Amino acid sequence: MSKKKTLYVCDNCGYESPKWFGKCPVCAEWNTARELKLEEINNMGDDRPYVFLLKEASQIEENLRFSTYSEEIDNLLGGGVVPGQVILLGGEPGVGKSTLALQLAEKFSVHGNVLYVSGEESVSQIGLRAKRLGLNENSIYITTKNEIESLILAIKKQKPVLVILDSIQTIYSNSVEGVVGGVLQIRTVVEKIRKFSKENNVPILLIAHVNKEGNIAGPKLVEHIVDTVIYFEGEKSTDLRILRVLKNRFGPSGEIAIFQMQNDGLKELKDKIFIEESNMPGNVVTSLFEGTRPILVQVQSLVSRDKMATARRISHGIDVRKIIIIAAVISKHLNLPIDSHDIYVNVSGGLKITDPACDLAIASSVLSSLFNKFLGKTVIIGEVGLDGSVRKVHNLKKRIDNARKAGYKRFIVPYDEVNGEGIIKIRNLRDLYKYFVED
Ligand code: TYD
Ligand code: MG
């Protein structure tokens, strides 16, 4: 005989425990434990078939991809949308999720009807947005119905080729209790739509709000249920928007797609260059690797003498600890009085740099500002060690080739097997220093 099961789920982050908890051990919120009864757990049960012929399974994926007619998004997804694929698109409010969804709906409607379920905005609001985006597509259907059971019935009748739920925090199920947008509701809604999706081979795009802490509150707990998880990143102060794949059962993860938010919607940035070219000292171009491709970016520094006791290090788009380390390495190995200078570093276009291959460019940018000398049209790539050495980076050839395509002819890089015209190899910061003090 099975015992009566109870499960406690944190309403904030989805942590599960067989025992009650006052404070969630994961998100540290108090009084968020919600008791789930056995029937509720069963309601969310999984009755997918478990046995597939491996050969069939791999064919499904390869043969049946539907293009989104957006080069960036097709590339992001590993070649297009797979039937029955459930995609979670997370992002902070205002980043552009609904805009992207509507633009995607229009492009995808080449394949048939697309159903856009909006629990966030009224039909007329969406109509206005469509006008702003210049969409006049006849095969996009909109509904503001937000009860999943009747939605699924409607979807079955209408037979769309893509369903968009905007957002999963506003859709609810009448089969379980719990607040709309709470853990139990979100999980039930996503389970139900996924089951429908898999049985009917209809791809689904689930939109989810991410709270300020960066985790998709609630939605975090459905990440493992969906096939693909994509985050939409971008800061309000810039128009740059990045889609990043965190998980993809049907393609590579880590891939990114880059857009610019304009007055009439999101535009693909095909050249992937974030440079407003400047010949001013302090500006250095480098190549960072995101997903499977290089992106040219410009690092900008301002180094100024500090009259106060402690020199400031302020950065935007780069972890400030990186600046502190690079400044210390410059100070020690080049014997420069940089400890008494303020250093401000910026990355163009609102991009964030974590790739260590950009270290040398950061160091060069600092030196360029310090010596008030612009190095000329050059791409600088390399990792900097604490000992002042310049280290190899991965994919150097791809980075150089990409920069050549953009018109760059001079490269300062680490010693490596890569050879070619205009390539200058250096071993350490001293080698770099020469370019700033010699003519
Ligand atoms: P939205 O798609 O509503 O964001 P989300 O669904 O993620 O909350 O986009 C919101 C912002 O984008 C809003 O501040 C206005 C801006 N925007 C543009 O700049 N251009 C456009 O064409 C559209 C539709 C929106
Ligand atoms: Mg929205």
Side-chain angles (χ1 to χ4, degrees):
M1 279 277 103
S2 68
K3 270 207 276 176
K4 195 167 182 256
K5 260 196 211 158
T6 316
L7 189 65
Y8 295 90
V9 179
C10 170
D11 234 339
N12 186 50
C13 74
Y15 165 75
E16 287 175 7
S17 162
K19 284 199 193 121
W20 186 84
F21 49 91
K23 182 187 178 185
C24 173
V26 174
C27 69
E29 285 292 316
W30 284 92
N31 301 323
T32 51
R34 170 183 288 280
E35 182 181 344
L36 298 195
K37 289 179 220 85
L38 180 65
E39 315 88 76
E40 290 175 335
I41 299 168
N42 282 346
N43 269 342
M44 299 185 290
D46 189 345
D47 42 11
R48 283 175 299 170
Y50 281 105
V51 184
F52 297 95
L53 190 62
L54 182 59
K55 217 169 103 191
E56 281 173 9
S58 51
Q59 272 168 2
I60 294 171
E61 207 183 295
E62 287 319 310
N63 302 340
L64 285 167
R65 288 214 188 240
F66 289 89
S67 173
T68 60
Y69 293 96
S70 155
E71 212 180 291
E72 285 287 278
I73 294 179
D74 276 356
N75 178 54
L76 185 80
L77 293 173
V81 176
V82 176
Q85 181 172 12
V86 182
I87 303 169
L88 182 71
L89 172 65
E92 281 184 19
V95 73
K97 300 181 295 298
S98 303
T99 306
L100 180 76
L102 203 54
Q103 289 184 266
L104 196 68
E106 192 216 21
K107 295 208 159 108
F108 210 79
S109 64
V110 170
H111 301 294
N113 294 340
V114 174
L115 180 65
Y116 189 111
V117 182
S118 176
E120 303 260 334
E121 290 159 315
S122 66
V123 173
S124 63
Q125 276 174 308
I126 300 164
L128 277 174
R129 173 175 291 136
K131 213 174 198 178
R132 179 173 179 181
L133 298 173
L135 311 183
N136 51 358
E137 183 46 59
N138 291 325
S139 0
I140 303 176
Y141 291 84
I142 308 168
T143 177
T144 51
K145 204 187 286 244
N146 55 357
E147 189 254 297
I148 193 70
E149 284 80 11
S150 43
L151 262 176
I152 288 177
L153 288 178
I155 298 168
K156 278 184 176 156
K157 250 190 228 153
Q158 206 224 353
K159 299 195 189 338
V161 291
L162 173 70
V163 179
I164 297 167
L165 297 190
D166 186 3
S167 65
I168 58 167
Q169 278 109 332
T170 56
I171 316 283
Y172 71 95
S173 164
N174 60 23
S175 70
V176 292
E177 288 180 7
V179 287
V180 180
V183 166
L184 182 58
Q185 280 292 347
I186 289 177
R187 204 152 98 167
T188 310
V189 164
V190 174
E191 273 295 359
K192 290 203 171 193
I193 196 75
R194 191 206 55 175
K195 187 163 176 283
F196 163 81
S197 166
K198 299 293 170 197
E199 285 170 0
N200 298 274
N201 277 329
V202 179
I204 313 280
L205 178 66
L206 304 172
I207 294 179
H209 291 303
V210 179
N211 60 17
K212 275 276 173 281
E213 287 77 52
N215 49 36
I216 320 190
K220 199 87 199 157
L221 75 150
V222 296
E223 280 188 0
H224 67 284
I225 308 175
V226 303
D227 300 305
T228 306
V229 178
I230 302 174
Y231 273 67
F232 210 178
E233 302 168 1
E235 280 175 37
K236 298 263 159 60
S237 54
T238 74
D239 51 14
L240 181 79
R241 298 287 179 272
I242 294 176
L243 281 176
R244 193 183 298 274
V245 176
L246 296 197
K247 157 185 168 175
N248 193 0
R249 283 189 187 141
F250 302 119
S253 63
E255 197 57 87
I256 64 162
I258 305 165
F259 297 87
Q260 192 174 24
M261 179 64 98
Q262 296 180 352
N263 277 333
D264 54 348
L266 291 151
K267 297 277 147 36
E268 299 185 3
L269 278 180
K270 286 219 181 66
D271 49 7
K272 287 117 206 163
I273 299 173
F274 297 94
I275 301 163
E276 295 143 35
E277 283 217 30
S278 165
N279 296 342
M280 296 298 285
N283 286 298
V284 167
V285 174
T286 187
S287 172
L288 74 103
F289 229 79
E290 283 277 9
T292 55
R293 65 188 184 204
I295 303 167
L296 286 171
V297 289
Q298 185 166 259
V299 180
Q300 204 169 51
S301 295
L302 173 69
V303 178
S304 68
R305 238 199 123 72
D306 182 41
K307 289 160 206 81
M308 301 208 289
T310 48
R312 274 168 292 206
R313 273 89 181 91
I314 295 172
S315 62
H316 203 247
I318 304 171
D319 187 342
V320 74
R321 284 170 296 188
K322 173 75 93 190
I323 310 301
I324 294 170
I325 293 170
I326 289 177
V329 173
I330 289 175
S331 159
K332 167 98 180 161
H333 296 284
L334 299 180
N335 201 17
L336 291 171
I338 208 145
D339 296 343
S340 59
H341 287 68
D342 288 334
I343 303 176
Y344 307 93
V345 186
N346 210 359
V347 181
S348 62
L351 223 75
K352 288 195 175 61
I353 293 184
T354 51
D355 186 349
C358 300
D359 288 359
L360 190 62
I362 298 169
S364 302
S365 162
V366 167
L367 293 174
S368 171
S369 176
L370 183 72
F371 291 107
N372 211 23
K373 181 170 178 178
F374 178 64
L375 274 195
K377 198 170 169 175
T378 310
V379 179
I380 301 185
I381 305 164
E383 191 177 336
V384 175
L386 291 178
D387 55 358
S389 61
V390 173
R391 298 197 186 146
K392 280 189 193 183
V393 303
H394 65 92
N395 287 309
L396 182 62
K397 187 170 182 320
K398 272 194 190 166
R399 296 180 204 245
I400 292 177
D401 291 347
N402 169 260
R404 276 198 205 281
K405 264 190 232 149
Y408 286 85
K409 296 189 176 79
R410 189 166 177 252
F411 312 90
I412 298 183
V413 301
Y415 267 81
D416 191 293
E417 297 75 39
V418 182
N419 291 305
E421 222 186 303
I423 296 180
I424 302 166
K425 297 181 181 181
I426 63 171
R427 289 193 195 280
N428 50 49
L429 282 189
R430 288 233 140 253
D431 294 345
L432 176 72
Y433 179 62
K434 276 185 253 163
Y435 292 95
F436 291 98
V437 290
E438 287 168 9
D439 281 316

